[in-house]
Amino acid sequence: MTKEGVSEAVLSALADLERAFGAAVSAIDAEPDHNRAYDGATELVETVRRLFEASADQRALSAARIFEQERMSLAGLADRIGVSKARAAQLIKTAKDAHGQRGNATEENGD
């Protein structure tokens, strides 16, 4: 992972996330009951999966912010973020889908 251009606040939050992951692994390793250790490991996998999906959505939303705020073409976005034009289009679609899901969740929560 390149850390160039990443704010100190983001780097600090990511370090906290890595420490939390390590603490979860240590707690699982220290669990004397093998069944509970397995259940804990399964919960860890599910949590990391949810975080991975949410982070992918966040990345797409960030790409969409660049695309919209700088009013660039898909080719320009692709060049800027170092992906193919097809991948840039996928990110924009993912952002639209994620934005719609966030909007629906806000409406469902009454916000």
Side-chain angles (χ1 to χ4, degrees), residues 50-71:
R50 285 190 306 274
L51 292 172
F52 174 79
E53 290 174 1
S55 64
D57 287 348
Q58 188 61 50
R59 182 174 185 235
L61 288 164
S62 295
R65 283 174 59 189
I66 294 169
F67 180 70
E68 292 167 3
Q69 290 180 359
E70 297 186 20
R71 292 184 173 95

Side-chain angles (χ1 to χ4, degrees), residues 14 19 22-24 38 41-42 44 49 51 54 61 65-67 69 76 79-80 83 87 90 93 97 99 102 106:
L14 292 174
R19 281 189 292 278
Y38 179 81
T42 299
L44 177 62
R49 181 192 56 77
L51 292 172
L61 288 164
R65 283 174 59 189
I66 294 169
F67 180 70
Q69 290 180 359
D79 186 54
R80 168 72 64 81
V83 299
R87 180 65 181 128
Q90 288 174 333
K93 181 184 180 322
D97 294 346
H99 184 71
R102 286 183 178 186
T106 301

Side-chain angles (χ1 to χ4, degrees), residues 16-98:
D16 290 345
L17 184 59
E18 287 184 3
R19 281 189 292 278
F21 178 83
V25 169
S26 293
I28 292 164
D29 287 344
E31 174 59 56
D33 181 311
H34 58 278
N35 289 304
R36 289 177 63 162
Y38 179 81
D39 290 343
T42 299
E43 186 58 34
L44 177 62
V45 167
E46 289 303 312
T47 299
V48 170
R49 181 192 56 77
R50 285 190 306 274
L51 292 172
F52 174 79
E53 290 174 1
S55 64
D57 287 348
Q58 188 61 50
R59 182 174 185 235
L61 288 164
S62 295
R65 283 174 59 189
I66 294 169
F67 180 70
E68 292 167 3
Q69 290 180 359
E70 297 186 20
R71 292 184 173 95
M72 57 179 41
S73 66
L74 281 175
L77 176 63
D79 186 54
R80 168 72 64 81
I81 62 175
V83 299
S84 68
K85 184 177 172 185
R87 180 65 181 128
Q90 288 174 333
L91 286 168
I92 298 303
K93 181 184 180 322
T94 297
K96 288 178 183 176
D97 294 346

